[in-house]
Amino acid sequence: GENVEQHPSTLSVQEGDSAVIKCTYSDSASNYFPWYKQELGKRPQLIIDIRSNVGEKKDQRIAVTLNKTAKHFSLHITETQPEDSAVYFCAARYSGGGADGLTFGKGTHLIIQP
Amino acid sequence: NAGVTQTPKFQVLKTGQSMTLQCAQDMNHEYMSWYRQDPGMGLRLIHYSVGAGITDQGEVPNGYNVSRSTTEDFPLRLLSAAPSQTSVYFCASSRGPDQPQHFGDGTRLSIL
């Protein structure tokens, strides 16, 4: 199966600065890598995703990069705002057999300091 | 358009009781899944379904059963509740396992 490691567990940045969250995965058969944002007491919501045939994807202030050789992918948030404060989860979809679903990292609590 | 609807939102059970968590989606998605979320553990896949009549086990299936008689509904059954099953349960649906998953609001379950 798949194993996803996420770092850091907590990240505090000044408003307006950039934030970077990193994840590694274990199996080269994984082919889909979404990122979810979860506010306290709410459902996870997809903010961006990337597939294994793409190296980078950007949506306004949010970007994701994927390095298949090193088996890691990162979330980049620029010009952070107070509403970016939340827990962010990376995930990987393992397609090499067995359970066909997402394996999540343990989350990063992003705190935007005013 | 309701998306993914989970009921109940909160539930307290005694050890050994059984119950069913309901999940329904109105987006005609083939893929549905159940996750549990525990503090510091992220979300872990319990069971999933790729279509009506087809279900399979995820990462943590023990103590849970599922069925998928229709495209819309994917209930999760706890046969004999244990304190270790205290968690927040999320149901999700998508067009496929490699497509954006839409989550319900979750069911917060406490087992005493």
Side-chain angles (χ1 to χ4, degrees), chain A residues 36 38 41 43 51 100-101, chain B residues 31 37 48 98 103-105 108:
Chain A
Y36 286 85
Q38 187 178 31
R43 69 179 77 179
R51 301 184 186 281
D100 192 358
Chain B
Y31 184 86
Q37 184 174 33
Y48 66 98
D98 61 348
F103 284 84
D105 286 334
R108 285 148 184 82

Side-chain angles (χ1 to χ4, degrees), chain B residues 25-101:
Chain B
Q25 52 94 7
D26 61 1
M27 296 173 282
N28 201 32
H29 286 163
E30 291 295 329
Y31 184 86
M32 295 186 74
S33 53
W34 277 102
Y35 294 88
R36 62 177 288 173
Q37 184 174 33
D38 303 297
M41 294 294 293
L43 292 95
R44 292 182 291 169
L45 182 65
I46 304 172
H47 284 284
Y48 66 98
S49 169
V50 298
I54 306 170
T55 64
D56 211 339
Q57 295 181 351
E59 179 185 355
V60 288
N62 292 341
Y64 308 95
N65 278 357
V66 292
S67 59
R68 185 95 179 268
S69 57
T70 67
T71 298
E72 295 77 19
D73 299 300
F74 190 43
L76 177 72
R77 298 183 187 86
L78 283 71
L79 303 178
S80 179
S84 61
Q85 294 178 304
T86 293
S87 188
V88 180
Y89 291 85
F90 286 100
C91 178
S93 76
S94 63
R95 289 181 294 161
D98 61 348
Q99 299 295 322
Q101 297 205 23

